[in-house]
């Protein structure tokens, strides 16, 4: 089964297409519309629209930081991964400080690294395996959909700050509500 066939069991074709369009687009309006469409797959408690529009962004950052810090702190890890856990907490603090200053393009890569490290802490070395995306979808579809989203984002980008903002806010939106 291909990745597209697998994810289509969990999200609509509209969401899959919106993610592809979000990644390819340079139009701010289109980026925002696609981000809103993708957010529907995350089933958050609140609408993503006021977040991407601006008024709820600070509240999202606070919720994201609190929830992710708790998730990291509560995750049991092997003794040899304690240093990774401490490094992720430190990196998260730095990331949030820069995001408060609206430096999304500067923080895009760090955001991806934080997520990769947190998932590693949660799932161990299996999170680095090619089959992890399918595993995540099967054991926790909500998280699996989020991981599908993250795995579809390029590692390195030369995007506008506004596009990076939309992409990062989407990830934060899921994690703030997870």
């Amino acid at each position: 089964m291909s990745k597209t066939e697998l994810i289509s069991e969990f999200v609509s074709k509209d969401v899959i297409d919106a993610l592809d369009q979000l990644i390819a687009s340079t139009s701010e309006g289109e980026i925002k519309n696609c981000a809103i469409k993708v957010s529907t797959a995350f089933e958050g408690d609140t609408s993503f629209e006021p977040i991407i529009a601006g008024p709820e962004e600070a509240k999202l950052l606070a919720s994201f930081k609190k929830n992710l810090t708790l998730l990291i702190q509560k995750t049991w890890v092997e003794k040899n991964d304690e240093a990774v856990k401490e490094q992720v907490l430190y990196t998260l603090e730095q990331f949030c400080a820069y995001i408060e200053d609206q430096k999304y393009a500067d923080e895009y890569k760090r955001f991806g690294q934080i997520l990769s490290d947190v998932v590693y802490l949660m799932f161990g070395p299996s999170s680095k395996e090619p089959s992890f995306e399918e595993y995540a979808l099967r054991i926790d579809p909500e998280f699996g959909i989020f991981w599908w989203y993250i795995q579809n984002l390029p590692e390195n980008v030369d995007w506008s700050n506004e596009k990076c903002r939309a992409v990062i806010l989407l990830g934060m939106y899921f994690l703030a509500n997870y």
Side-chain angles (χ1 to χ4, degrees), residues 119 122-123 132 136 140-148 174 178:
V119 172
M122 291 171 62
F123 294 97
F132 181 72
D140 183 352
E142 187 179 347
F143 177 79
I145 292 167
F146 168 72
W147 194 242
W148 161 79
F174 174 82
Y178 186 63

Side-chain angles (χ1 to χ4, degrees), residues 6-175:
L6 178 61
I7 196 61
S8 66
E9 292 180 20
F10 298 90
V11 297
S12 70
K13 182 172 177 3
D14 289 349
V15 170
I16 295 168
D17 292 345
L19 178 56
D20 291 340
Q21 197 172 356
L22 171 64
I23 291 168
S25 183
T26 57
S27 161
E28 280 191 33
E30 189 174 48
I31 289 166
K32 285 181 180 182
N33 288 336
C34 290
I36 290 166
K37 174 64 88 175
V38 171
S39 76
T40 63
F42 297 155
E43 301 177 12
D45 295 336
T46 60
S47 172
F48 186 69
E49 286 185 62
I51 294 166
I52 197 136
E56 298 291 323
E57 189 172 339
K59 185 176 174 185
L60 174 70
L61 178 59
S63 293
F64 163 77
K65 183 178 178 183
K66 179 180 135 207
N67 286 1
L68 198 55
T69 299
L70 283 171
L71 179 65
I72 295 165
Q73 289 173 339
K74 300 290 183 193
T75 299
W76 181 87
V77 296
E78 297 286 341
K79 186 82 170 152
N80 58 341
D81 285 332
E82 284 293 331
V84 174
K85 189 174 183 177
E86 292 304 316
Q87 181 62 42
V88 173
L89 287 168
Y90 174 76
T91 304
L92 177 62
E93 283 292 324
Q94 289 182 314
F95 169 80
C96 289
Y98 279 97
I99 290 301
E100 285 177 1
D101 291 337
Q102 300 289 306
K103 295 180 179 179
Y104 288 98
D106 294 344
E107 292 302 301
Y108 176 87
K109 189 166 182 143
R110 188 185 331 223
F111 184 66
Q113 187 59 55
I114 289 169
L115 297 181
S116 180
D117 289 346
V118 169
V119 172
Y120 171 79
L121 291 173
M122 291 171 62
F123 294 97
S126 67
S127 66
K128 307 290 186 198
E129 298 293 324
S131 61
F132 181 72
E133 189 174 324
E134 180 176 352
Y135 172 77
L137 279 165
R138 301 287 183 205
I139 64 160
D140 183 352
E142 187 179 347
F143 177 79
I145 292 167
F146 168 72
W147 194 242
W148 161 79
Y149 165 72
I150 295 301
Q151 291 300 292
N152 275 281
L153 298 176
E155 187 175 336
N156 297 303
V157 298
D158 187 20
W159 291 344
S160 69
N161 194 62
E162 200 53 39
K163 183 170 183 171
C164 289
R165 176 181 174 269
V167 168
I168 289 172
L169 287 178
L170 262 172
M172 290 170 60
Y173 173 73
F174 174 82
L175 291 166

